[in-house]
Amino acid sequence: MALLTDFLGILAAVVTAIVTIMALTGLLFEILNRRHPERKIQKGRNNPRKWRELRQAPISILTLSTCFAFGLFAQFQGWALSPFALNWWSAPLLLIASMIGYDAWFYWVHRLLHTRLFYRFHALHHRSVTPTVWSNHHETFVEALLNQAYYAFVVFVLPIPWQVLIVQKIYDQISGMLGHAGFEHIASPAGRSPWPLASTVFHDQHHRHFRFNYGHTFSFWDRVMGTLHPKYDMTLKSFEDL
Ligand SMILES: [Zn+2]
Ligand SMILES: [Zn+2]
């Protein structure tokens, strides 16, 4: 019983943090988008279902928070690998390792969600052809579970301190919303060949063109597997001089 109470305490803290991050990030991008209409990616197209998409957010947030809270809880209980001591080299090293791990996980889960058998769980997310910052949590329970199971599982294979996992999750939440913002605010050469980072244009093209750009943080897997949109690098570059 004490175990359950402890877990529910962590879950409540995670849900509160995720909702706060979502509200602040969403409002920030609403303001930025209004100030920079020239940065809109799909010119002349709007998403009339923008606010309705938020109805799915409670299911998405509860699912991802449960996965994340379980990862933390497993480590606190000593069920997972003993984490490395937190210091100046272990923190960045494990953060980068886990970001690479999550990007690979996300890419292959996403490819699976686009198969005939699994697409039924991903179709809801693709109703947003012109995504907005609020589309990030427009997903089914199964999709959220498959994507976020990473955070419940990673502590068993990577000795990552919980503080580093929290930093990664905050980055993941903000970059997930950024990827759906519909406006390219931070275009830079780091987002295109030969650099590995993705961008807002990257995931926006996934929603618009459907069969390209399945990755999350990096474009690496799409480049290797030949699923990168052929005009991705060129389109991102066009936003750099605005
Ligand atoms: Zn997809
Ligand atoms: Zn999306």
Side-chain angles (χ1 to χ4, degrees):
M1 194 62 196
L3 272 187
L4 183 65
T5 317
D6 288 353
F7 176 74
L8 290 176
I10 295 174
L11 180 61
V14 172
V15 169
T16 308
I18 298 283
V19 171
T20 307
I21 292 168
M22 183 187 82
L24 292 178
T25 309
L27 290 173
L28 174 72
F29 279 105
E30 287 286 343
I31 294 167
L32 275 177
N33 294 351
R34 248 169 243 173
R35 283 196 181 175
H36 295 284
E38 77 283 4
R39 294 196 162 269
K40 186 160 172 61
I41 299 168
Q42 298 186 35
K43 306 264 190 292
R45 294 168 67 133
N46 283 309
N47 183 344
R49 303 159 56 254
K50 178 172 157 177
W51 299 110
R52 255 192 295 158
E53 290 184 350
L54 273 178
R55 281 189 208 158
Q56 198 66 18
I59 290 173
S60 164
I61 288 175
L62 201 59
T63 309
L64 74 89
S65 299
T66 304
C67 292
F68 187 72
F70 180 80
L72 294 182
F73 186 65
Q75 190 172 91
F76 295 159
Q77 292 297 322
W79 299 339
L81 284 185
S82 293
F84 283 178
L86 190 65
N87 56 41
W88 65 269
W89 65 265
S90 70
L93 186 76
L94 287 163
L95 179 62
I96 291 169
S98 190
M99 283 169 75
I100 292 171
Y102 181 60
D103 187 62
W105 176 287
F106 188 93
Y107 179 86
W108 288 106
V109 164
H110 198 174
R111 290 292 299 269
L112 180 75
L113 286 167
H114 275 255
T115 59
R116 194 179 284 266
L117 190 62
F118 280 83
Y119 187 68
R120 72 195 74 178
F121 304 117
H122 188 44
L124 182 75
H125 189 66
H126 273 286
R127 281 200 209 151
S128 326
V129 178
T130 312
T132 76
V133 71
W134 307 108
S135 306
N136 191 38
H137 293 293
H138 191 226
E139 60 181 352
T140 63
F141 163 72
V142 174
E143 176 173 349
L145 185 66
L146 287 174
N147 281 331
Q148 302 290 327
Y150 174 85
Y151 286 100
F153 157 81
V154 66
V155 290
F156 293 92
V157 293
L158 195 69
I160 184 166
W162 60 269
Q163 297 92 333
V164 178
L165 203 59
I166 287 178
V167 170
Q168 185 188 359
K169 189 77 195 105
I170 293 172
Y171 173 80
D172 173 29
Q173 287 304 114
I174 296 174
S175 68
M177 291 185 78
L178 174 65
H180 292 96
F183 290 68
E184 185 56 74
H185 291 294
I186 47 174
S188 93
R192 57 187 168 84
S193 179
W195 300 101
L197 280 173
S199 63
T200 306
V201 165
F202 182 82
H203 194 65
D204 198 277
Q205 285 184 332
H206 178 69
H207 279 263
R208 183 164 186 187
H209 303 292
F210 193 68
R211 290 256 169 239
F212 302 99
N213 306 1
Y214 296 91
H216 182 270
T217 308
F218 306 112
S219 59
F220 171 79
W221 283 104
D222 285 291
R223 291 185 195 275
V224 169
M225 299 305 295
T227 50
L228 188 79
H229 190 280
K231 291 191 176 157
Y232 167 65
D233 287 324
M234 202 177 80
T235 309
L236 183 62
K237 190 170 188 301
S238 73
F239 283 92
E240 284 171 26
D241 305 322
L242 290 180

